[in-house]
Amino acid sequence: MPDTPIRPSAWGGLTTILDTPLKRQVAIAVILMAMIVAPLLFGQYATVILTNALLYVVLALGLNIVVGYAGLLDLGFAAFFAVGAYTVGIATLNFGLNFWLALPLAVFFAIIAGIIIGTPTLRLRSDYLAIVTLGFGEIVRLAARNLRETGGASGLSGIESPWLFGWHISTPLDFYYVFCVLAIIAVVVSVRLANSRLGRAWLYVRHDEDAAEAMGIDRVKVKLAAYVVGAVYGAIGGAFFAANLGAISPNSFSFQQSVLILMAVILGGMGKIPGVILGAFIVILAPELLRDFGDLRLFIFAVGLLLIMLFRPSGIWPAKSRTGARR
Amino acid sequence: MGFIDIFSQQLVNGIVLGSFYALVALGYTMVFGVVKLLNFAHGDLYMVGGFAGFLILSFLSPFIGPGWFGVAVSMVFAMIAVGILGVVIERVAYAPMLSAPRLSILITALAVSLVLQNGMLTITKGQYVPFGSALGFGGVNLGSLFISYNQMILVGVSIALMAGLEIFVSRTQYGRAMRAVSVDKDMSRLLGINVNRVIAGTFFLGTGLAAAAGTMAGAYYGSLWYFMGFLIGLKAFTAAVIGGIGSIPGAMLGGLILGLLESFGTQLPGVGSEWKDVFSFSVLILVLVFKPTGLLGKPEQERM
C-alpha cells in the first residue's frame, strides 16, 4: 500500500477495520458530523454531560501519555488539572488577565510542577513513583484548601468566561464546541507523539528499560518528557474546566478525581487512543446511566476495574497488534 | 503551658500516633519483603479491620462488655477475620498477577483498594459510624502532663504485638522460611519451602496487624469511616520508607519517627495542624529522594 500504515500502538483494533484511507476519511467525517449534531439532537442536559465527557477525553489522553505510553503509574494526575484551573482562576480574578493570557501561564506552571515533581522521583522504582505522585496530588489539594490565594475550602468563583474574536464563549453549547476542538487537538497531538521519535522511545522504555538505556535512550529524560506532556494536557483541561464552570473548589481535585481519570485510561485500553476515548465516555456516561444505583455505582466501577485487570488486562478495546496482544 | 509541658504532651501524642503508623507499616513492609508488591489496599484493610472489630464488639458486648477487655477480644477476632480476607485477596487478585508487568499489578492493587473502599461506602452510605466501645477517661497526671490509661494500653498492646512479630520472624521455623523467601523465592522453593504458604502467612500476619490497628483506632477515636484507610495507608507507607522498606525493625522505627515528626511538626511556626499531612508527604518525598533505602533498609539493585 502506498500510504503509511497507522501505527497499531496508538490506534488499537481500529487498524484492521479502517485499513484504507477512504474508510478512515469516511469514519472521521462521520465522527465529526456526529459531534456537531449531537447537542442539537439530545438537548441541553445531554450537552453538559457530553462536554464533561470531552473534558475527560482530554484529561485521559494526557494521563495516557504517562501511563499508557511511558508506563509510569501516576496516581496524582488531578494535581496538574488543579494547577491549570487555579492558575486561570487566580490570574483572571486577582491579576485581571484575560483567559487567553492566563492559559499559557497555566501551561507554564504545569510544566514547572511536572519538572519539580518528576526530576527527583523518576529515578525511583516505579511503585515508589506511584505513591509519590499520590502524595504530591494530596499536597496540591491540601495547599489549595489551606492557602488564602486559592480561596480555601470554598475555592474561587466568578471566573469570567472567555471571549474569542468577539465570540463570547458562555452558553453550554459554546463550551461543548470548544471542548470538541480541544478533544480533537488532544487526539491529533497524541497520535503525532505516538508516531514520533519520542513516542518510540516511550515504547522502548515501557517494554524494557534497561535495553532502552543500552540503546542510548536517556530514560529519565524520556520519562520526564512524558510526565511534562501529560501535565500540559491536564493543565489545559483544568484551564477550560475553570472557564466553563466559573467556580472551582479543592473537592474537584481529590484522589477520586485522579482515580476516575486513571480508570478512563485503563478501562478502554491503556495506550490506545480509541480505547482511552471510549474509557472517558464510559467513566462519565455510566454514572448517568447507573444513577439509580446511587453509591453502588462506584463499587460497580471498582469491581469492573479489578475484573478487567484480572481477565482482560489490555482493556475493553485492546490492540490487535503483533506485539503485546496480551499486555 | 510552658515549653516542657508542650514538649512532653507532644511526645506522648507522637508515640500514640506512631504506634498506629508502625502497626500498619509492618504489613506494608512484610508483604513488600516477600512478594515485592506495594499493597495499595493495605490501608483499606486497616479500615475493614476497624469495621470488623466494631461489628464483632457489637455482637459480643452484651457478654463481655464494651470496655478494654471487650475491645481486646474483638480485636483478636477481627485480626483473624481480616487476616483471612488478606489471604483471600492475595490468592484471588495478586497471585495470578505476580508474573505480570509491574504496572498491571500496581493497578490491580489499586483496584482492590477501590473495591474495599467503595464496598464500605455502599454499606455505610458514606456516614461516620460510631464505634460502640466505652473506654474510661482515667489517666495519670505527671505534673501538668496527662497520660490516659487508653493511651498506655494502646501503646502497650502495639509494643506487645510488634515484639511478638519480631520473635515469630526471628525465632520460629516459619519466620525463618519467611526471611528465606524474601531473599530468594526460587532458591527457597528448591530447598523445600512451600513458598505459596509462606506468602499466604505473610499476608495473614500483615493484614492482621493492620486490623488490630484499625480496631484500636476505632475504639480510641470513637468513630469509623470508609475513607479512613486512605490517609493512614499513605502515612504508613511513608513510615515504612523512612525505616527502609522490607525491614521489620525499620517499619517500627519509621512509624515512631513519623508519629513524632508529625506531632512536633505541627508545633513549628507556619505548620499548623491543617498542614500536618502536607508536612508528612513532604517528608516522604524528601526521604525517597535523598535516602530511598531508608534508615535500616539494604541497598537494592533494581531489575525490572
Side-chain angles (χ1 to χ4, degrees), chain A residues 135-222:
Chain A
F136 174 64
E138 281 298 291
I139 289 178
V140 168
R141 186 183 65 86
L142 290 167
R145 222 186 129 83
N146 294 337
L147 288 173
R148 197 154 23 89
E149 290 75 12
T150 52
S154 54
L156 300 171
S157 60
I159 301 163
E160 280 183 32
S161 41
W163 290 75
L164 182 62
F165 304 121
W167 174 36
H168 189 193
I169 306 170
S170 56
T171 67
L173 194 61
D174 294 342
F175 272 103
Y176 170 79
Y177 287 118
V178 167
F179 276 97
C180 279
V181 173
L182 279 181
I184 291 168
I185 295 173
V187 170
V188 172
V189 172
S190 282
V191 176
R192 302 290 298 166
L193 277 173
N195 291 339
S196 68
R197 190 185 167 83
L198 188 58
R200 290 195 300 276
W202 284 332
L203 191 75
Y204 249 147
V205 169
R206 188 177 79 230
H207 280 288
D208 192 332
E209 225 169 278
D210 297 317
E213 196 147 43
M215 298 297 287
I217 293 171
D218 182 340
R219 62 176 172 178
V220 173
K221 214 179 265 178
V222 164

Side-chain angles (χ1 to χ4, degrees), chain A residues 73 120 124-128 131-132 134 138 142 146 210 255-256 259 262 266 296 299 302 309-310 327, chain B residues 38 40 93 101-102 104 106-108 110 114-115 119 122 227 230 237 245 274-275 277 281 288-289 300 303:
Chain A
L73 185 55
L124 299 172
R125 312 170 45 99
S126 50
D127 26 19
Y128 282 13
I131 292 263
V132 169
L134 208 170
E138 281 298 291
L142 290 167
N146 294 337
D210 297 317
F255 172 62
Q256 281 88 342
V259 166
L262 185 67
I266 297 162
L296 197 58
F299 180 65
M309 287 320 293
L310 290 179
R327 303 267 144 91
Chain B
L38 265 191
F40 276 118
R102 186 165 259 168
S104 308
L106 282 175
I107 295 170
T108 308
L110 179 70
L114 293 171
V115 167
T122 313
F227 206 54
F230 171 74
F237 175 78
I245 198 142
E274 72 270 27
W275 291 101
D277 299 335
F281 302 149
L288 280 180
V289 170
E300 178 193 359
R303 168 81 188 114

Side-chain angles (χ1 to χ4, degrees), chain A residues 2-322:
Chain A
D3 61 300
T4 50
I6 302 173
R7 286 178 77 82
S9 63
W11 281 110
L14 280 185
T15 358
T16 44
I17 309 167
L18 304 175
D19 50 355
T20 65
L22 183 68
K23 283 186 192 169
R24 242 172 278 150
Q25 282 152 10
V26 169
I28 289 171
V30 169
I31 291 171
L32 285 180
M33 284 300 289
M35 283 171 87
I36 293 170
V37 178
L40 309 173
L41 289 179
F42 298 125
Q44 186 154 1
Y45 180 69
T47 308
V48 172
I49 305 290
L50 286 175
T51 307
N52 203 15
L54 289 168
L55 167 69
Y56 269 74
V57 169
V58 175
L59 297 175
L61 284 172
L63 184 58
N64 180 47
I65 290 173
V66 183
V67 180
Y69 288 2
L72 309 166
L73 185 55
D74 183 347
L75 296 179
F77 192 70
F80 299 122
F81 182 48
V83 167
Y86 273 104
T87 306
V88 163
I90 293 169
T92 56
L93 289 173
N94 296 5
F95 297 96
L97 290 184
N98 86 30
F99 176 80
W100 302 106
L101 287 174
L103 184 61
L105 214 58
V107 170
F108 174 75
F109 281 123
I111 293 174
I112 299 289
I115 292 174
I116 288 177
I117 191 65
T119 312
T121 54
L122 288 171
R123 290 168 211 279
L124 299 172
R125 312 170 45 99
S126 50
D127 26 19
Y128 282 13
L129 181 74
I131 292 263
V132 169
T133 53
L134 208 170
F136 174 64
E138 281 298 291
I139 289 178
V140 168
R141 186 183 65 86
L142 290 167
R145 222 186 129 83
N146 294 337
L147 288 173
R148 197 154 23 89
E149 290 75 12
T150 52
S154 54
L156 300 171
S157 60
I159 301 163
E160 280 183 32
S161 41
W163 290 75
L164 182 62
F165 304 121
W167 174 36
H168 189 193
I169 306 170
S170 56
T171 67
L173 194 61
D174 294 342
F175 272 103
Y176 170 79
Y177 287 118
V178 167
F179 276 97
C180 279
V181 173
L182 279 181
I184 291 168
I185 295 173
V187 170
V188 172
V189 172
S190 282
V191 176
R192 302 290 298 166
L193 277 173
N195 291 339
S196 68
R197 190 185 167 83
L198 188 58
R200 290 195 300 276
W202 284 332
L203 191 75
Y204 249 147
V205 169
R206 188 177 79 230
H207 280 288
D208 192 332
E209 225 169 278
D210 297 317
E213 196 147 43
M215 298 297 287
I217 293 171
D218 182 340
R219 62 176 172 178
V220 173
K221 214 179 265 178
V222 164
K223 284 179 181 178
L224 190 61
Y227 212 67
V228 166
V229 174
V232 169
Y233 267 74
I236 291 177
F240 280 91
F241 172 79
N244 182 8
L245 289 191
I248 46 177
S249 80
N251 293 339
S252 308
F253 312 104
S254 59
F255 172 62
Q256 281 88 342
Q257 180 75 274
S258 298
V259 166
L260 211 57
I261 303 169
L262 185 67
M263 278 192 180
V265 173
I266 297 162
L267 286 177
M270 246 183 294
K272 319 295 179 296
I273 289 170
V276 171
I277 295 172
L278 179 72
F281 273 83
I282 291 176
V283 161
I284 296 306
L285 297 185
E288 297 299 322
L289 301 175
L290 296 175
R291 194 159 279 267
D292 295 340
F293 289 88
D295 290 333
L296 197 58
R297 66 189 191 205
L298 288 169
F299 180 65
I300 295 172
F301 260 25
V303 172
L305 183 68
L306 182 59
L307 292 179
I308 282 191
M309 287 320 293
L310 290 179
F311 299 110
R312 213 177 159 84
S314 43
I316 293 172
W317 195 347
K320 284 186 183 129
S321 62
R322 286 161 291 130

Side-chain angles (χ1 to χ4, degrees), chain B residues 26-50:
Chain B
L26 277 171
Y28 257 122
T29 247
M30 286 164 63
V31 167
F32 187 87
V34 172
V35 288
K36 303 286 175 278
L37 157 75
L38 265 191
N39 186 6
F40 276 118
H42 194 64
D44 300 293
L45 287 163
Y46 158 91
M47 177 272 295
V48 173

